[in-house]
Amino acid sequence: MQVIKAKSILQKVGGHSNQWFGIDYNINLYKGCSHGCIYCDSRSSCYQIDHFDEVRIKDNEIAILNKELQSKKKKGVVGIGAMSDTYNPFEKNLEITRQALKLLQFYHFGVSIDTKSDLVVRDIDILKQMKNVIIKFT
Ligand code: SF4
């Protein structure tokens, strides 16, 4: 699997997106998605993601996310999965999403996850300890 460079993981969400999706921050732990949905908006050329069906990971992303969460004074709900299903088949062994959830729980952030995989059930032990949790299945 290809590892790509990332300067930051946590993005602030404002304006209409904040009201519409009910999230304050957004993270995409993987780039690309292998589910192949024909209705997928993320594969649109406006996002300029080459080879969208190939899943890539971001170098050192958990350490970067840890630093970013630590520095945020404003807590809130973090959206995961807007541009890539975070519970893709690789997540089962890599556990990147699981590590990110542990950080969100530790720093008292909520989470909103979009997924079409029942692998999310694996992380129910962490999700049960979080205050605000939204899971959306497609
Ligand atoms: S699961 Fe989501 S991100 Fe992945 S292909 Fe389907 S719509 Fe796109």
Side-chain angles (χ1 to χ4, degrees), residues 12 18 22 46 88 104 131:
K12 180 100 183 79
N18 172 259
C46 70
N88 61 61
L104 295 180
K131 217 173 177 180

Side-chain angles (χ1 to χ4, degrees), residues 28 32-43 52-53 81-86 88 114-117 138:
N28 283 288
C33 184
S34 56
H35 285 312
C37 309
I38 54 167
Y39 53 79
C40 181
D41 170 66
S42 304
R43 65 176 73 246
F52 181 79
D53 295 312
M83 294 290 289
S84 168
D85 190 335
T86 204
N88 61 61
D114 298 272
T115 186
K116 62 189 318 171
S117 169
T138 63

Side-chain angles (χ1 to χ4, degrees), residues 95-106:
E95 298 196 357
I96 292 170
T97 302
R98 185 169 172 80
Q99 292 176 63
L101 287 176
K102 282 182 183 172
L103 288 178
L104 295 180
Q105 188 264 327
F106 181 80

